[in-house]
Amino acid sequence: AQSVTQLGSHVSVSEGALVLLRCNYSSSVPPYLFWYVQYPNQGLQLLLKYTSAATLVKGINGFEAEFKKSETSFHLTKPSAHMSDAAEYFCAVSDRGGGADGLTFGKGTHLIIQP
Amino acid sequence: DTAVSQTPKYLVTQMGNDKSIKCEQNLGHDTMYWYKQDSKKFLKIMFSYNNKELIINETVPNRFSPKSPDKAHLNLHINSLELGDSAVYFCASSQAGSTDTQYFGPGTRLTVL
């Protein structure tokens, strides 16, 4: 079974600083990986996804993530944090391939932006 | 024109009651899901439906039953509610296939007293 580990339940950065949210996965087959963002009292919104095409994936709001098979990682980055980036971020994996697959989520990382 | 909608947004009820949460998607997707988010914000898949057929049922108590009257709707019925059922429930939809983006509804916060 696949699993996802997000290191750091809370990450705090200053406005304008680099954002780095870590995600490591465990999967017996090539995974499909996703990053979702959840703003307070809202549903989840897709930031980006990796589906075995380019290893560097660009998403919305200036976020990107790099798939590194050797490290089983899919870390999320943004060069310059903005106050509006404060939210909960979830890494998720789906590896069953074909059909209707639920996502397996990490426990989430709460991103705090310091002014 | 909301893509995935859920009603109600908040639901407060007593233990032992039976309740339903409705979900509708207007994206023309083939597959719909229910997820549970607990108080620590951990998200876990409960069910998925593909063309009215249950595909996944992840060790969810049989007090929970999804019902899909058509491809655009997947309702969640919960019988004999327990304190531990308090959570936020999210509906989602996607085209069939694990590479496809799942679009989430706004969530229903269920509180069992």
Side-chain angles (χ1 to χ4, degrees):
Chain A
Q2 69 272 29
S3 66
V4 172
T5 302
Q6 291 184 240
L7 293 176
S9 59
H10 291 78
V11 169
S12 179
V13 302
S14 298
E15 190 174 17
L18 171 72
V19 175
L20 171 60
L21 304 182
R22 300 178 188 274
C23 173
N24 288 90
Y25 68 90
S26 171
S27 175
S28 58
V29 296
Y32 301 135
L33 293 159
F34 305 79
W35 274 101
Y36 280 85
V37 61
Q38 184 180 26
Y39 298 102
N41 299 314
Q42 294 188 27
L44 281 77
Q45 179 183 9
L46 180 75
L47 281 175
L48 47 81
K49 65 181 180 182
Y50 168 76
T51 58
S52 74
T55 56
L56 182 62
V57 182
K58 293 189 184 298
I60 63 171
N61 301 339
F63 285 94
E64 63 182 37
E66 186 172 8
F67 173 73
K68 292 187 177 180
K69 184 178 178 180
S70 61
E71 299 177 8
T72 61
S73 68
F74 190 57
H75 302 332
L76 182 71
T77 60
K78 181 175 179 177
S80 177
H82 193 271
M83 295 299 290
S84 60
D85 294 327
E88 195 82 21
Y89 291 79
F90 293 94
C91 184
V93 64
S94 172
D95 70 358
R96 298 184 203 177
D101 301 332
L103 295 170
T104 299
F105 283 90
K107 294 188 175 183
T109 298
H110 185 65
L111 178 61
I112 301 162
I113 310 297
Q114 305 278 8
Chain B
D1 49 337
T2 305
V4 181
S5 60
Q6 297 178 226
T7 53
K9 188 168 177 62
Y10 300 95
L11 184 54
V12 181
T13 188
Q14 300 287 333
M15 274 197 324
N17 285 350
D18 303 335
K19 290 293 178 185
S20 295
I21 305 172
K22 294 186 177 181
C23 178
E24 177 182 3
Q25 55 95 3
N26 62 6
L27 298 168
H29 287 164
D30 293 325
T31 308
M32 296 183 72
Y33 312 80
W34 277 105
Y35 288 86
K36 179 180 180 180
Q37 186 175 45
D38 64 22
S39 59
K40 296 185 178 180
K41 295 197 177 290
F42 183 58
L43 279 152
K44 188 172 182 181
I45 182 75
M46 298 178 72
F47 303 103
S48 72
Y49 254 73
N50 185 326
N51 292 324
K52 297 175 123 180
E53 181 182 357
L54 181 66
I55 302 297
I56 301 172
N57 185 338
E58 294 284 332
T59 64
V60 173
N62 58 14
R63 297 182 295 103
F64 291 78
S65 56
K67 298 235 178 352
S68 181
D70 55 56
K71 198 171 80 166
H73 297 83
L74 182 64
N75 302 325
L76 183 64
H77 298 272
I78 316 169
N79 295 326
S80 303
L81 278 156
E82 300 178 356
L83 292 176
D85 298 332
S86 295
V88 181
Y89 293 85
F90 287 99
C91 177
S93 74
S94 74
Q95 290 288 29
S98 54
T99 63
D100 293 316
T101 299
Q102 293 189 17
Y103 292 84
F104 284 76
T108 295
R109 182 175 294 277
L110 171 65
T111 303
V112 182
L113 303 175

